[in-house]
Amino acid sequence: MLTLTLHTQPDVPLELDGVTPDRLLKLAAADVARLPVAHGNRTVELGTFFAVAGDASDGDLRIVGDCSRVKLIGSGMTAGTLTVEGHVGWHAGARMAGGTLTIHGDAADWLGAEVTGGAITVRGNAGNQCGAAYRGSRHGMRGGTVVVHGSCGDEAGLLMRRGLIAVAGTVGQAAGASMIAGTLVALGGVGRDCGAGMKRGTIVVGGPEPAWPPGVRYSCDYAPAYLGVLAKQLATLGLPLEALGVRCYRGDLIHGGRGELWHLAAATSPGPA
Amino acid sequence: MQIRGTEIADTFAEAFPMTASRVVVTAVSLKWAHVAAAAATGYAASVIGCDAEAGVEAELSPDDTPDGRPGVALLFFAFSRDALQKALVNRIGQCILTCATTACFNGLPVTDRSVRVGGNLRYFGDGHQISKLHGDRRFWRVPTMDGEFLCEDLFGTVKGVAGGNLILLGTSRAVALEAAERTAAACRTVPGVILPFPGGVVRSGSKVGSKYKALKASVNEAYCPTLRGAVPHTALPDSVNAAYEVVIDGVDLASVEEAMRRGMRAAAGPGVVRITAGNYGGKLGPHHLHLHTLLGPVTPC
């Protein structure tokens, strides 16, 4: 395992783009310390801010310290294990394609933005645009899983096309907005405009029933068999989903109404279960 | 060789490879899972006249099913992957999709030898079907009048073994049938095994061919007590007045062997004159399951 310990807080954002387990496999600790990273508008060596120790050859990378001002941790990662003991800054796990990224702290905005594979777990909270598409981009998350054990900000799953975003707490406004496919779970509830503009996909909402956008219509109360499959998957990710049925809505009708929005707590007649 | 006074014939069962798939059917209750299972595995006794051989392998608790509901595991056998896919799509489409509250899952590892089932049945959704991808597993959700039918896209296959068999010769029909029931129950305790015939018991043991050219198989007169004296050769000792066969299909050779082993031990007893097995002189299948070898050294009792 290779360990990077933050010894100096950057005064402006530091970008750890490319410092991922799969790219460090063949580098010695001293070489890793010499890697160029962006510090504001300057390029510095990684060792300027991090103490580097250990061996990277097993594909296991650990970052220790409050990295709230460190951006792009794990971005573009394709394999291996990256564990962060502390908070992380913007774009953590963005465009990740494989491997596992575990953050024992909070994550800032754009966590897992446009991720295509792998597994991201955040033990704390996440900021806005979790698993979302970057501005001007056509697709957000395209595969993999993003699990947030705390709460999440606005626009989670914006334009997501595939994969699973599961949040134990609440998700802010416009959750799953313009969603194309995939699954977004917000066990603690969502803010307004949830699923606005969605084409397909599934949004699962716990907590109090939200005010749905105008293009969402009630469908039925029932017990989808898929709910059990999803519950088992969430259980393996450490998120309990205990609902016998759902209150199902379809939307956004302005985009064909093929998306589905499930409210867990409001299901009064779970159909055949 | 004898077990509890029953002679074990020095012969072998001749088994042959078939492509097998395991289907896990779940429903709101075990009752409805069995309803679907009975329909889906009906008319699947022998590939002589059916598109597949099928049966219920085991009941599954909610902890053992992908959707946390009670279910049953079914095994299907066919001569090729293409034939198996066709049989699965037809049977699941007509008997499980149509059955109240059911869902259908793959029960074997998915490889490049898998067959596409949900991926074909999804078209029933007429564009309203929903795909869900969990890791490498794709599920199709098809709207139905009670909610949705959930079916996995791909079903894994293995090269299974079909045609394991035991023939039990009894002094009377009652004795032979009771022995056959004991045998079937013992065989079913082996994981990875089904008995495709009704109740696991066959009364119409057959031989290859017929005097009628259109028939692929016909009655095996050597085991019919009513033909003793009327045909040149009988396989029935004088004291035998009824015979039943138990046919065993398994996901591998070891499971079929173990089922035959347990079946013979369960069958032996008073009134069961002989336990033998059906073969075709070694010309049909590569697996020769010798009864004496399966039992190993047996202490006479």
Side-chain angles (χ1 to χ4, degrees), chain A residues 1-6 19 24 29 32-33 46 50-56 58 60-65 83 85:
Chain A
M1 177 194 291
L2 185 75
T3 301
L4 307 183
T5 305
L6 187 72
V19 183
L24 303 184
V32 173
L46 182 70
F50 288 92
V52 183
D55 179 11
D58 60 355
D60 195 354
L61 176 61
R62 185 164 163 260
I63 298 177
V64 180
T83 306
E85 305 287 350

Side-chain angles (χ1 to χ4, degrees), chain A residues 169-170 186-190 205-210 263-266:
Chain A
T170 58
L187 293 177
V190 292
V205 177
E209 183 160 355
H263 184 238
L264 299 171

Side-chain angles (χ1 to χ4, degrees), chain A residues 5 9 18 20 28 38 70 77-78 121 123 128 146 167 175-176 188-189 208 225 247 252 260 267:
Chain A
T5 305
Q9 274 290 343
T20 55
V70 182
M77 180 173 159
T78 60
T121 304
R123 297 291 172 192
N128 300 320
V146 176
V167 181
R247 172 159 286 183
D252 188 329
E260 54 180 1

Side-chain angles (χ1 to χ4, degrees), chain A:
Chain A
M1 177 194 291
L2 185 75
T3 301
L4 307 183
T5 305
L6 187 72
H7 57 68
T8 303
Q9 274 290 343
D11 44 6
V12 293
L14 182 70
E15 296 183 7
L16 236 54
D17 193 12
V19 183
T20 55
D22 49 323
R23 295 189 187 180
L24 303 184
L25 279 176
K26 295 177 181 175
L27 295 182
D31 296 331
V32 173
R34 282 195 292 272
L35 285 174
V37 291
H39 178 227
N41 59 0
R42 296 178 183 174
T43 300
V44 299
E45 290 187 350
L46 182 70
T48 308
F49 293 96
F50 288 92
V52 183
D55 179 11
S57 62
D58 60 355
D60 195 354
L61 176 61
R62 185 164 163 260
I63 298 177
V64 180
D66 179 2
C67 296
S68 303
R69 292 183 190 165
V70 182
K71 299 199 290 189
L72 294 161
I73 290 178
S75 70
M77 180 173 159
T78 60
T81 304
L82 202 169
T83 306
V84 183
E85 305 287 350
H87 307 314
V88 296
W90 284 18
H91 311 288
R95 291 181 172 148
M96 186 171 144
T100 60
L101 167 62
T102 305
I103 298 160
H104 294 279
D106 295 338
D109 297 352
W110 303 105
L111 170 76
E114 298 190 6
V115 63
T116 59
I120 299 174
T121 304
V122 178
R123 297 291 172 192
N125 301 312
N128 300 320
Q129 291 93 19
C130 170
Y134 284 117
R135 301 303 185 220
S137 191
R138 294 179 64 190
H139 300 135
M141 181 175 182
R142 285 160 233 186
T145 60
V146 176
V147 176
V148 179
H149 287 270
S151 291
C152 201
D154 299 341
E155 294 186 359
L158 175 75
L159 280 161
M160 77 179 284
R161 191 179 179 211
R162 196 174 289 134
L164 169 70
I165 298 174
V167 181
T170 58
V171 176
Q173 298 177 19
S178 300
M179 190 172 180
I180 300 162
T183 305
L184 170 63
V185 180
L187 293 177
V190 292
R192 65 185 175 88
D193 295 332
C194 171
M198 72 187 294
K199 292 180 181 173
R200 286 179 179 265
T202 305
I203 300 177
V204 183
V205 177
E209 183 160 355
W212 302 106
V216 170
R217 289 285 182 274
Y218 172 72
S219 171
C220 69
D221 289 3
Y222 82 123
Y226 178 68
L227 186 65
V229 176
L230 183 63
K232 284 213 168 187
Q233 186 191 22
L234 291 177
T236 65
L237 299 172
L239 299 183
L241 191 165
E242 295 172 358
L244 290 176
V246 301
R247 172 159 286 183
C248 180
Y249 296 81
R250 302 304 293 251
D252 188 329
L253 297 179
I254 204 166
H255 286 293
R258 288 182 176 170
E260 54 180 1
L261 303 99
W262 291 350
H263 184 238
L264 299 171
T268 52
S269 171

Side-chain angles (χ1 to χ4, degrees), chain A residues 162 182-183 200-202 222 224-226 228-230 232-233 250 258 260 262 272-273, chain B residues 28 62-63 65-69 101 105 127 129-130 132-134 141 146-148 150:
Chain A
R162 196 174 289 134
T183 305
R200 286 179 179 265
T202 305
Y222 82 123
Y226 178 68
V229 176
L230 183 63
K232 284 213 168 187
Q233 186 191 22
R250 302 304 293 251
R258 288 182 176 170
E260 54 180 1
W262 291 350
Chain B
V28 69
D63 289 339
T65 62
D67 64 357
R69 302 190 299 170
T101 78
F105 303 95
Q129 67 271 22
I130 294 172
K132 288 291 174 189
L133 194 62
H134 283 215
R141 300 171 51 209
D146 70 350
E148 68 178 15
L150 179 66

